[in-house]
Amino acid sequence: MRSLGLVAGFLLDKAVPDPRRGHPVALYGRAAGWWERCVYGDSRARGVLFAAGAVLPVVAAGSVVRGGAATAATTWAVLGGSMLCREAERIAGALEEGDLARARELLPNLCGRDPSGLDEAGVARAVVESVAENTSDAVVGPLVWGALGGVAGLAGFRAVNTLDAMVGHRDERYERFGSASARLDDLAGWGPARLTAVLAVLVAPVVGGDVRG
């Protein structure tokens, strides 16, 4: 049932667009933002408290939810592969039409890089690098943890990944507070990232690509 749920959720991600409002991951992000405001302090200990309080309840709730339907729904909620493809294709379409201004306008939907100084090759490179980097977080990681832990694995991985996006920055506010979330994301993503690299090497000869580095 778990395997069937993962496959069904993967197909749902391709067929059912993300809602503009009320997406489960967005709602979780709001809840985590509230929790951050409650416990924030410029220390690693407060960061550990924040990460534990934001992730453990999600994993605990997921551990009591079973069945193929729940797995499929959770898989759909945490996957982001179709969104990555849609945004990348929109930028590719703009570049193919010679509309560099439009491509620059669309790039922030895919990555945080400043597009203002990028030429066509720079925008294309940013798209490829962003899709390659985020495939592990948006597709491979959730599926690996879903296969290992079912709903708890799916939801827990997405929770950790979301916290890293929120507070895992090395700036003045989050250098200490966000370190626990960043390290937890590194740990959760280590295996999926290696698997993604292996898959890229295996697929590249089939599609005629060239994988380097």
Side-chain angles (χ1 to χ4, degrees):
M1 293 300 294
R2 180 182 297 178
S3 298
L4 290 175
L6 290 171
V7 171
F10 180 83
L11 296 175
L12 283 172
D13 178 55
K14 293 184 172 298
V16 180
D18 293 339
R20 293 184 178 274
R21 296 183 180 180
H23 191 284
V25 175
L27 295 177
Y28 173 77
R30 293 178 186 176
W34 169 83
W35 177 236
E36 177 193 345
R37 292 190 293 273
C38 290
V39 302
Y40 176 80
D42 189 17
S43 71
R44 287 181 170 81
R46 287 296 186 106
V48 171
L49 175 63
F50 168 71
V55 174
L56 292 179
V58 172
V59 174
S63 66
V64 300
V65 178
R66 304 182 186 280
T71 302
T74 307
T75 303
W76 167 81
V78 304
L79 287 184
S82 292
M83 183 277 293
L84 281 176
C85 290
R86 284 193 295 268
E87 294 299 334
E89 288 171 356
R90 291 174 67 195
I91 298 172
L95 290 177
E96 289 172 357
E97 294 171 0
D99 192 347
L100 178 58
R102 177 63 174 163
R104 286 173 173 169
E105 180 183 343
L106 293 171
L107 186 62
N109 295 332
L110 193 63
C111 65
R113 193 173 305 183
D114 181 8
S116 60
L118 298 179
D119 58 10
E120 291 185 2
V123 171
R125 186 180 303 110
V127 171
V128 172
E129 291 174 351
S130 180
V131 170
E133 178 182 355
N134 286 296
T135 294
S136 178
D137 290 339
V139 182
V140 179
L143 292 177
V144 167
W145 282 101
L148 293 173
V151 173
L154 288 162
F157 179 82
R158 178 53 62 216
V160 168
N161 193 244
T162 301
L163 296 188
D164 179 60
M166 292 175 61
V167 305
H169 313 294
R170 292 187 176 181
D171 56 22
E172 184 176 352
R173 176 177 175 82
Y174 292 125
E175 183 173 2
R176 284 178 287 272
F177 181 80
S179 62
S181 296
R183 299 293 79 76
L184 191 59
D185 182 68
D186 290 342
L187 181 62
W190 186 88
R194 268 86 192 144
L195 178 58
T196 303
V198 171
L199 292 174
V201 171
L202 293 175
V203 170
V206 177
V207 299
D210 182 19
V211 178
R212 303 181 186 275

